[in-house]
Amino acid sequence: MTYSSDQIRWSGTKPPRGADGGIEIPLRVAADWQVDAAIAVGSNVGAGRWYNDTGYTLKIQTIRLGRKTTGSSGFTTIDVNMNDVTLYTTQGNRPSVRAGSDDVTSLGTAAPDVTSVAPGDFLSVDIDEAEAGTPKGLRVSVLLSIG
């Protein structure tokens, strides 16, 4: 038998159980930033800060970067910060998209060096490099889970 919902899916005769015997449901949270205007280098873009108010330490699963309109040349590179400090101590691993390319998922190429987000911590996004031309519609999504 398969149990499912919009966010959760498992197979078997019973759903997973926690130590207390209750149903254990994995929590997934998405932190999203969006800028519809032209993409330009800047700090704390989009919606500003996203706070972990879940009461749980969360683990970053994926970071996706994309935009609606690509630039003419170069790259758009972002930095995701926790409490105003980069998650990418290896700066070459920051999410980046090349002019003319589609969305990129950072964990498909290089994970951030910091992946745990404690209760009360906040995430923010900086644009460190912008493609030439008129790139627009920046989208950044960080998928987190209890971990």
Side-chain angles (χ1 to χ4, degrees), residues 13-76:
T13 57
K14 296 180 182 177
R17 299 274 178 188
D20 64 357
I23 295 175
E24 190 173 282
I25 299 176
L27 173 69
R28 291 191 179 236
V29 177
D32 295 303
W33 290 263
Q34 175 175 317
V35 178
D36 290 323
I39 297 172
V41 173
S43 299
N44 212 12
V45 301
R49 295 176 173 181
W50 176 88
Y51 286 87
N52 178 6
D53 291 330
T54 66
Y56 298 96
T57 297
L58 301 176
K59 181 177 180 184
I60 295 173
Q61 299 296 319
T62 59
I63 299 176
R64 180 176 292 276
L65 163 65
R67 68 263 178 271
K68 286 185 175 181
T69 305
T70 183
S72 58
S73 64
F75 292 84
T76 293

Side-chain angles (χ1 to χ4, degrees), residues 3-134:
Y3 301 85
S4 64
S5 74
D6 292 340
Q7 300 281 332
I8 305 160
R9 182 183 175 95
W10 65 89
S11 295
T13 57
K14 296 180 182 177
R17 299 274 178 188
D20 64 357
I23 295 175
E24 190 173 282
I25 299 176
L27 173 69
R28 291 191 179 236
V29 177
D32 295 303
W33 290 263
Q34 175 175 317
V35 178
D36 290 323
I39 297 172
V41 173
S43 299
N44 212 12
V45 301
R49 295 176 173 181
W50 176 88
Y51 286 87
N52 178 6
D53 291 330
T54 66
Y56 298 96
T57 297
L58 301 176
K59 181 177 180 184
I60 295 173
Q61 299 296 319
T62 59
I63 299 176
R64 180 176 292 276
L65 163 65
R67 68 263 178 271
K68 286 185 175 181
T69 305
T70 183
S72 58
S73 64
F75 292 84
T76 293
T77 303
I78 63 161
D79 199 354
V80 179
N81 303 298
M82 181 172 57
N83 304 327
D84 291 328
V85 177
T86 183
L87 299 178
Y88 292 91
T89 54
T90 306
Q91 289 284 285
N93 290 344
R94 292 170 297 165
S96 185
V97 288
R98 184 170 23 106
S101 66
D102 293 329
D103 291 357
V104 63
T105 303
S106 72
L107 291 186
T109 55
D113 299 291
V114 178
T115 59
S116 291
V117 182
D121 285 346
F122 67 87
L123 300 178
S124 60
V125 173
D126 297 341
I127 301 172
D128 290 349
E129 184 179 0
E131 300 160 71
T134 54

